[in-house]
Amino acid sequence: MIIFEESFSKVNWGPDEAKGDSQLRKYFVKIPEYEGIKSGDYRYIIGRKGTGKTAIIEQIANEASSEYNSFVKYLSLRNFPIQTIRELKDRSLGNKSQFVPIWTFLILTELSKLIVSDSSIEKTESVIDLKNFIKINFPSNLGFAETLRNLKSNENKVSVIVKWLGFENKSAESKEAITTVHFQKASEILLNLIKGVNSSCNFYLLFDELDEGYSANDKNLNLLLLSLFRAVENTFLDLKDIINIRPVLALRSDIFNNLEDNDLNKLDDFIINLKWTKEYHASYSIYDLINARINASINVEDPKRAWEQITINNDKNIPNRINNLWEFIYNRTFERPRDIIKYMKYCAKQNPSGKLDFKTVRKAEIEYSEWFYREFRDEIQSHLPIWQESTQAFIKLNKGVITFDEIKKELENDSRIVNYLKNNNKNHEDILEILFEFGLIGTLSDSNRWFFKYKDHNLPFNHNQKMIIHFGFTRKFRMKVY
Ligand SMILES: Nc1ncnc2c1ncn2[C@@H]1O[C@H](COP(=O)(O)OP(=O)(O)O)[C@@H](O)[C@H]1O
Ligand SMILES: [Mg+2]
């Protein structure tokens, strides 16, 4: 007999960061493109903070580790020696390409290590040569950082066996001798050797945490990332008909959008933009995602409606304009999984007994709103230095609905904002547009409907429309609207 435990406090919501979450497979919700990532059709995952980029990478790594024919390398840019890679750029190439050769070399060495780690692979001459290459140059298998360090201490050179350079007229003995070549030459050799590999296995190269230490004004960092996209795509195209190379690269959307390069358009078909919805039982349904988490930790009678069974969804204390508890909570998020999970965890901290009610949700809203504001800060701060002053202007107005003239007047009262606008040749609309972009404000259409950027990515900002502060912030700002 199954015992139902329909109590909110019994649910284990799990970590709100997917990295290293050993439970993830129990409640991972497959997005429609998931199999396409595994088959190499999609290679780039773009989304805001907390939309589930790492979750996908983590799930792929989890699955692959239990498949006999899959090999995975996780490549993080956290603690990555950025300075060293900068020193390794190729100055003879145009700006956008300077880092492509070094990235390509790093990708090819990681791929080679994966290939030779397959002990059941057919031992063609190429495989034996690849093994030797790794053994001579990167014996400790420490990944990116080691490769860069070795390159640097060897003045950009790596060791190769003379015969790989293709000198036909040499004696057999001298063909086996070791010599050094520039890493770009070594990339050519590696590419050729890999082309001689015969394997039907999948080789995953998973890139995450590229946003560590990101600053929008660091042009060099932008070039570095842009080069990485190019190197990944070129290598994939070079090798896709030969072996199952599966690069997957996750990047925050604000950083991606800042890369500004026409070439990125070419990647459009291979990009996934993570965007969730509040619809029930649909693709990208956050409702389903929450249900999956509930069902992973407790037994409820109707798993498809798990939410309704651990909450008083129709609590009569909910204000009339709001349909139910789910909607109240949802309206305080940017439709991102982490937002809802975080809200649930703050509710759980209140130790509610039985089902979750509106009163508890309101209490938890205080901490949630603080957290939500910090998440917003993390995203916007490198794009708008005066984000705090601009936000303050809205707080000072303390109104539910705001017109352009009202906020403009308030912005003009702050000398730091005035100076910023003057020094950067920008106007008030530019500030509001960034605040709109990151979801602090939404606009009211002529038909009296609210529009937020996170609901419609293609929505242009129209400063002639009235504005509203997002509900997720109103508690933090002590505004009396909900
Ligand atoms: N597809 C999914 N299925 C289940 N949980 C998810 C999914 N996507 C995201 N989550 C959860 O949402 C939270 C944030 O996801 P994460 O991957 O860490 O975000 P990001 O890397 O985009 O900042 C984590 O708790 C994660 O488990
Ligand atoms: Mg992440």
Side-chain angles (χ1 to χ4, degrees):
M1 200 186 84
I2 302 171
I3 299 161
F4 300 121
E5 327 155 86
E6 292 170 351
S7 152
F8 181 81
S9 298
K10 291 248 164 68
V11 180
N12 174 5
W13 296 101
D16 45 69
E17 297 258 1
K19 193 177 176 200
D21 179 359
S22 58
Q23 306 292 308
L24 186 67
R25 67 179 78 205
K26 286 208 256 165
Y27 43 66
F28 181 75
V29 175
K30 272 199 180 158
I31 58 165
E33 298 92 342
Y34 184 77
E35 296 306 328
I37 305 175
K38 291 198 79 179
S39 60
D41 294 341
Y42 295 105
R43 302 183 275 287
Y44 309 97
I45 306 170
I46 310 296
R48 286 187 76 169
K49 259 193 117 191
T51 48
K53 301 179 293 296
T54 303
I56 294 170
I57 297 241
E58 195 78 16
Q59 178 71 9
I60 289 175
N62 277 342
E63 273 188 18
S65 66
S66 55
E67 290 163 2
Y68 73 95
N69 62 345
S70 290
F71 297 85
V72 191
K73 181 79 193 199
Y74 176 80
L75 299 157
S76 167
L77 286 209
R78 186 187 284 268
N79 304 327
F80 184 77
I82 298 267
Q83 194 45 40
T84 311
I85 202 168
R86 281 187 178 151
E87 290 160 15
L88 289 166
K89 73 179 176 188
D90 182 339
R91 293 188 173 77
S92 70
L93 297 174
N95 247 351
K96 286 192 296 187
S97 311
Q98 289 186 335
F99 298 107
V100 175
I102 182 63
W103 278 129
T104 305
F105 179 72
L106 290 173
I107 294 166
L108 290 173
T109 49
E110 291 308 322
L111 178 63
S112 304
K113 289 181 197 170
L114 273 189
I115 291 171
V116 305
S117 73
D118 175 7
S119 54
S120 64
I121 198 164
E122 188 188 329
K123 304 275 181 306
T124 58
E125 202 185 329
S126 294
V127 171
I128 294 163
D129 289 343
L130 280 176
K131 263 201 171 121
N132 279 329
F133 178 84
I134 299 297
K135 203 166 89 194
I136 304 171
N137 292 290
F138 309 106
S140 59
N141 196 15
L142 288 176
F144 268 20
E146 181 206 23
T147 309
L148 283 176
R149 262 196 311 276
N150 287 7
L151 271 186
K152 200 182 160 191
S153 56
N154 296 319
E155 289 165 346
N156 299 350
K157 295 212 162 76
V158 288
S159 301
V160 296
I161 296 175
V162 170
K163 68 173 176 189
W164 299 342
L165 295 165
F167 299 124
E168 288 308 323
N169 49 359
K170 296 246 167 142
S171 71
E173 202 177 305
S174 57
K175 275 187 184 176
E176 292 302 324
I178 287 182
T179 184
T180 59
V181 294
H182 190 269
F183 71 81
Q184 294 195 33
K185 182 70 195 168
S187 288
E188 284 171 37
I189 295 173
L190 285 175
L191 206 55
N192 275 329
L193 291 179
I194 293 169
K195 286 180 178 170
V197 170
N198 184 11
S199 169
S200 58
C201 292
N202 304 311
F203 300 101
Y204 292 99
L205 297 169
L206 308 174
F207 297 82
D208 198 6
E209 304 189 308
L210 305 180
D211 37 25
E212 285 299 314
Y214 179 76
S215 147
N217 297 322
D218 188 341
K219 284 263 175 321
N220 258 322
L221 202 53
N222 279 342
L223 291 177
L224 203 66
L225 290 175
L226 202 54
S227 297
L228 176 58
F229 275 85
R230 292 173 145 220
V232 164
E233 191 61 14
N234 291 346
T235 312
F236 175 82
L237 294 177
D238 266 343
L239 291 173
K240 72 177 169 56
D241 296 328
I242 294 148
I243 56 164
N244 299 333
I245 171 174
R246 298 281 178 267
V248 184
L249 206 149
L251 188 63
R252 250 167 53 191
S253 47
D254 58 305
I255 301 176
F256 182 76
N257 295 338
N258 223 24
L259 292 181
E260 283 172 9
D261 185 71
N262 299 336
D263 279 7
L264 290 178
N265 269 343
K266 292 187 204 142
L267 302 183
D268 199 51
D269 284 349
F270 320 120
I271 290 176
I272 300 171
N273 278 298
L274 294 180
K275 191 182 172 314
W276 296 80
T277 139
K278 70 170 169 183
E279 302 295 314
Y280 292 9
H281 311 314
S283 314
Y284 282 105
S285 161
I286 295 199
Y287 176 78
D288 291 352
L289 183 144
I290 284 298
N291 282 349
R293 270 176 141 87
I294 299 169
N295 292 324
S297 55
I298 62 170
N299 285 315
V300 299
E301 197 172 350
D302 182 359
K304 281 200 134 115
R305 293 166 54 85
W307 171 257
E308 278 82 353
Q309 283 156 80
I310 58 152
T311 63
I312 308 176
N313 204 32
N314 294 314
D315 194 325
K316 57 183 179 341
N317 295 319
I318 299 172
N320 280 338
R321 286 170 297 115
I322 300 155
N323 285 324
N324 51 44
L325 198 63
W326 175 252
E327 190 179 301
F328 180 91
I329 292 169
Y330 200 82
N331 283 343
R332 275 147 187 77
T333 73
F334 286 145
E335 307 197 341
R336 303 180 294 199
R338 186 177 293 136
D339 299 351
I340 295 256
I341 293 167
K342 207 68 193 181
Y343 207 146
M344 291 303 101
K345 290 171 81 163
Y346 285 126
C347 288
K349 257 177 89 178
Q350 301 289 328
N351 278 319
S353 61
K355 296 180 198 264
L356 181 70
D357 62 0
F358 181 63
K359 220 174 84 194
T360 309
V361 170
R362 277 292 277 169
K363 272 197 214 148
E365 190 188 356
I366 298 170
E367 268 189 293
Y368 168 76
S369 188
E370 293 277 346
W371 172 82
F372 191 63
Y373 180 69
R374 293 194 297 273
E375 289 289 287
F376 163 73
R377 175 199 64 194
D378 287 352
E379 283 185 315
I380 199 171
Q381 60 189 4
S382 83
H383 300 274
L384 182 68
I386 46 145
W387 67 276
Q388 208 168 6
E389 292 84 352
S390 315
T391 306
Q392 278 297 328
F394 277 95
I395 300 176
K396 279 191 200 133
L397 269 180
N398 195 15
K399 287 181 73 173
V401 179
I402 303 132
T403 66
F404 177 66
D405 291 336
E406 284 170 334
I407 189 63
K408 186 173 174 201
K409 212 170 130 206
E410 200 57 56
L411 292 169
E412 278 167 353
N413 281 338
D414 189 319
S415 59
R416 281 162 304 187
I417 298 180
V418 174
N419 285 335
Y420 170 82
L421 292 179
K422 210 171 75 196
N423 297 338
N424 293 280
N425 200 15
K426 289 192 193 296
N427 52 36
H428 301 92
E429 290 89 324
D430 294 327
I431 297 183
L432 297 175
E433 186 164 357
I434 299 180
L435 297 178
F436 177 74
E437 178 80 31
F438 287 92
L440 182 88
I441 54 174
T443 53
L444 186 68
S445 74
D446 298 336
S447 58
N448 253 356
R449 281 186 54 205
W450 288 112
F451 284 94
F452 279 97
K453 180 81 177 187
Y454 65 85
K455 286 184 185 288
D456 181 353
H457 289 260
N458 301 317
L459 199 62
F461 175 67
N462 180 352
H463 71 271
N464 291 318
Q465 292 179 335
K466 289 178 182 145
M467 287 159 248
I468 186 184
I469 293 270
H470 187 278
F471 289 128
F473 301 103
T474 50
R475 249 345 235 288
K476 157 83 186 160
F477 298 164
R478 299 170 202 278
M479 294 174 136
K480 290 235 162 22
V481 278
Y482 70 83

